[in-house]
């Protein structure tokens, strides 16, 4: 997991009054990681920090609130720099998936394009990652919040499916996603109407894309072939 996402998580937790420095010290965390913007934290370390914060904060909608809070969002990360300068929401989402390993390899996102819909789905390398609904809700809320930010419109998916069990209270999820919610599904998926992702991105500069993508290719090469 890139250090930007750990920093994002910790800043959110500090705003909630969580003693993040004490937590990191107890985990023997190497603070030198914060000095290198290209450093990556082992997924096991990130999830230990995530689980401890989520449990202590005690918010049943922790993942949803974290993903929708853009106050400390790492827009400076190369992946989001690429997204900001794409022509449309669809191309931004495609490139987010293309370069997702620069952010994290905890989950494996996938995009399926049908005649009238686009399906964004998540797969995990470990079943432990999706032991609860928190992490999938975080990813979906984050992606949707970024797309709404790029378009400056109230973009809503057509349907959101979670593999987790239905929570006792759906009010916050219903308010945020503004769409049909399904729990107990085989896959964690967020379905968009294809036309809604054709929205142009305000103030984007596609002329910067070749330079940004060239920069993105270099650190990505150790993780996987971006052409695949």
């Amino acid at each position: 997991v890139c250090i930007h996402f750990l920093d994002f998580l910790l800043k959110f937790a500090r705003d909630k009054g969580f003693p993040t420095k004490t937590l990191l010290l107890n985990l023997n965390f190497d603070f030198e990681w914060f000095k290198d913007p290209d450093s990556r934290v082992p997924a096991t370390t990130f999830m230990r920090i995530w689980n401890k914060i989520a449990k202590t904060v005690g918010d049943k909608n922790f993942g949803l609130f974290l993903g929708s809070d853009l106050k400390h969002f790492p827009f400076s990360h190369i992946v989001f720099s690429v997204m900001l300068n794409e022509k449309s929401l669809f191309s931004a989402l495609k490139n987010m998936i293309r370069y997702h390993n620069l952010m994290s390899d905890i989950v494996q996102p996938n995009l399926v394009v049908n005649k009238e819909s686009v399906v964004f789905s998540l797969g995990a390398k470990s079943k432990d990652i999706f032991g609860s609904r928190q992490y999938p809700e975080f990813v979906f809320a984050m992606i949707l919040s970024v797309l709404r930010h790029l378009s400056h419109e109230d973009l809503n998916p057509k349907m959101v499916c979670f593999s987790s069990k239905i929570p006792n209270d759906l009010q916050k999820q219903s308010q945020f996603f503004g769409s049909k919610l399904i729990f107990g599904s085989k896959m964690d998926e967020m379905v968009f109407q294809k036309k809604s992702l054709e929205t142009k991105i305000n103030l984007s500069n596609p002329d910067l894309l070749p330079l940004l993508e060239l920069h993105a290719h270099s650190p990505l090469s150790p993780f996987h072939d971006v052409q695949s």
Side-chain angles (χ1 to χ4, degrees):
V1 180
C2 71
I3 196 67
H4 294 75
F5 270 91
L6 177 59
D7 185 59
F8 174 43
L9 171 62
L10 294 173
K11 285 178 178 177
F12 179 84
R14 282 197 294 271
D15 282 354
K16 300 291 185 180
F18 187 90
T20 55
K21 186 174 182 179
T22 301
L23 169 62
L24 297 181
L25 289 171
N26 289 339
L27 294 175
N28 295 317
F29 184 84
D30 185 358
F31 286 86
E32 290 294 313
W33 273 329
F34 286 115
K35 296 182 179 181
D36 181 4
D38 294 324
S39 62
R40 295 171 68 86
V41 180
T44 52
T45 300
F46 179 83
M47 292 310 300
R48 285 177 66 191
I49 296 172
W50 166 287
N51 290 330
K52 183 64 176 179
I53 292 175
K55 183 178 180 180
T56 305
V57 171
D59 194 324
K60 295 180 179 180
N61 297 304
F62 176 78
L64 178 68
F65 290 148
L66 173 62
S68 59
D69 187 351
L70 299 184
K71 179 180 178 182
H72 301 298
F73 195 78
F75 280 111
S76 62
H77 192 279
I78 182 61
V79 173
F80 298 108
S81 295
V82 170
M83 292 181 71
L84 283 166
N85 289 286
E86 282 286 358
K87 293 182 178 180
S88 69
L89 297 184
F90 178 68
S91 57
L93 189 57
K94 281 179 61 179
N95 259 344
M96 189 283 296
I97 292 177
R98 187 183 188 196
Y99 297 118
H100 79 277
N101 268 354
L102 289 178
M103 299 181 290
S104 168
D105 60 2
I106 290 180
V107 297
Q108 179 64 49
N110 188 44
L111 201 66
V112 176
V113 182
N114 300 313
K115 185 176 180 180
E116 297 183 354
S117 65
V118 176
V119 182
F120 175 82
S121 63
L122 296 176
K125 292 185 175 181
S126 170
K127 293 182 179 179
D128 295 336
I129 299 298
F130 288 178
S132 72
R133 71 175 202 274
Q134 296 295 345
Y135 201 79
E137 280 192 9
F138 159 66
V139 175
F140 286 162
M142 177 188 67
I143 295 302
L144 186 55
S145 295
V146 171
L147 292 178
R148 286 171 174 170
H149 173 79
L150 293 177
S151 65
H152 297 284
E153 294 183 5
D154 191 19
L155 173 69
N156 290 329
K158 180 180 180 180
M159 178 173 61
V160 185
C161 303
F162 295 101
S163 59
S164 56
K165 296 180 180 179
I166 187 170
N168 294 328
D169 186 357
L170 286 176
Q171 182 180 3
K172 298 300 182 182
Q173 287 81 1
S174 297
Q175 288 177 347
F176 177 78
F177 290 108
S179 61
K180 182 180 180 180
L181 302 176
I182 296 177
F183 289 85
S185 176
K186 292 183 179 180
M187 291 285 293
D188 291 277
E189 299 177 331
M190 186 159 54
V191 183
F192 294 94
Q193 288 185 332
K194 190 175 181 179
K195 187 176 181 179
S196 68
L197 295 181
E198 295 174 355
T199 302
K200 292 183 178 180
I201 296 176
N202 294 328
L203 301 179
S204 67
N205 187 352
D207 292 337
L208 289 176
L209 273 179
L211 294 175
L212 292 170
E213 290 186 322
L214 181 64
H215 181 66
H217 272 255
S218 179
L220 186 64
S221 57
F223 305 116
H224 75 152
D225 180 5
V226 296
Q227 300 300 328
S228 62

